[in-house]
Amino acid sequence: MGPEAKFYQQIKKSIPEISWNRLENNSLLGTPDLLGYNNSGHFFTVELKVTKGKKIRFSPHQIAFHTRHNKNTFIMIKALGPLSPNTSPISMFHGSRIKELVAHGLKLDACCLGLEACRLRLNQVGSKALKLEA
């Protein structure tokens, strides 16, 4: 099992209240790894990345997808190896910030740090609280 598959298993186990579907799509390149459905009845996508450094690599297709579909899309990153004091091993970014992630990597401020914060944010997708925050 590869690092992203292990990361998916960790997410699935830690956030069981969300219905997760792993998307394996060879015909639509750039499609995110996960389709989630929360208890509020809203769908969203999550691109998973595992990295050993601060730089995050995306294919041109992934960049195009998140640029075109910039609402209810997220990029969740698991950093392996030594971390600086202000870095969480798991961080999440809005998909609309993919070009900034390409340019700045994990130096960019995340919308969520840690799996619990990611869980809370994903459960708010589609809620009025999240719309007021955006």
Side-chain angles (χ1 to χ4, degrees):
M1 187 180 318
E4 284 185 8
K6 288 178 184 175
F7 189 22
Y8 165 62
Q9 291 301 322
Q10 180 184 6
I11 292 167
K12 190 172 147 182
K13 184 177 179 181
S14 300
I15 312 175
E17 69 274 16
I18 290 178
S19 175
W20 295 107
N21 288 291
R22 182 96 193 254
L23 303 175
E24 300 289 338
N25 196 335
N26 293 326
S27 60
L28 290 173
L29 300 174
T31 302
D33 298 306
L34 304 178
L35 177 66
Y37 183 77
N38 65 19
N39 288 332
S40 299
H42 291 89
F43 285 100
F44 55 89
T45 62
V46 178
E47 178 66 40
L48 299 179
K49 292 292 179 185
V50 176
T51 183
K52 292 182 181 177
K54 291 193 177 285
K55 186 173 175 125
I56 314 300
R57 296 175 193 214
F58 295 97
S59 74
H61 299 288
Q62 290 170 325
I63 294 168
F65 181 93
H66 286 284
T67 301
R68 185 170 208 187
H69 306 95
N70 56 16
K71 296 211 178 2
N72 294 348
T73 63
F74 300 91
I75 299 163
M76 198 178 300
I77 300 168
K78 182 172 186 173
L80 304 175
L83 301 170
S84 63
N86 296 333
T87 306
S88 171
I90 296 176
S91 51
M92 189 167 74
F93 302 83
H94 290 282
S96 60
R97 300 190 74 195
I98 192 164
K99 289 182 180 178
E100 294 172 85
L101 262 174
V102 170
H104 304 288
L106 291 178
K107 293 178 186 174
L108 189 66
D109 288 334
C111 67
C112 299
L113 293 173
L115 202 48
E116 178 63 13
C118 295
R119 181 187 74 77
L120 293 171
R121 176 61 63 97
L122 293 173
N123 274 303
Q124 289 179 339
V125 169
S127 74
K128 289 180 184 177
L130 192 60
K131 288 177 186 171
L132 292 174
E133 188 179 298

